[in-house]
Amino acid sequence: MSGIDKMKNKAEELSGHGKESVGEATGDRDLQAEGEKDQAKGNLKQAGEKVKDAFK
């Protein structure tokens, strides 16, 4: 299950990167901020998965 969670977290991070890029290109500051937030959330979840893996 950990592998699936890692893929979901990476997908969330990549989706955030896409939102940020589109927001930057179109001048949509809200979309850009949402993308940055999604990236941070994905990174935080990935860090949690790494900690769980370290204790296995």
Side-chain angles (χ1 to χ4, degrees), residues 12-55:
E12 183 173 25
E13 181 186 346
L14 292 174
S15 172
H17 184 69
K19 285 181 184 179
E20 182 182 6
S21 295
V22 169
E24 189 175 325
T26 61
D28 186 345
R29 305 284 283 160
D30 291 334
L31 185 60
Q32 186 177 4
E34 184 179 338
E36 290 172 357
K37 182 183 81 170
D38 288 351
Q39 285 182 66
K41 191 165 51 167
N43 285 332
L44 185 61
K45 287 180 181 179
Q46 284 184 30
E49 289 294 323
K50 288 180 183 178
V51 169
K52 286 194 314 190
D53 288 345
F55 286 103

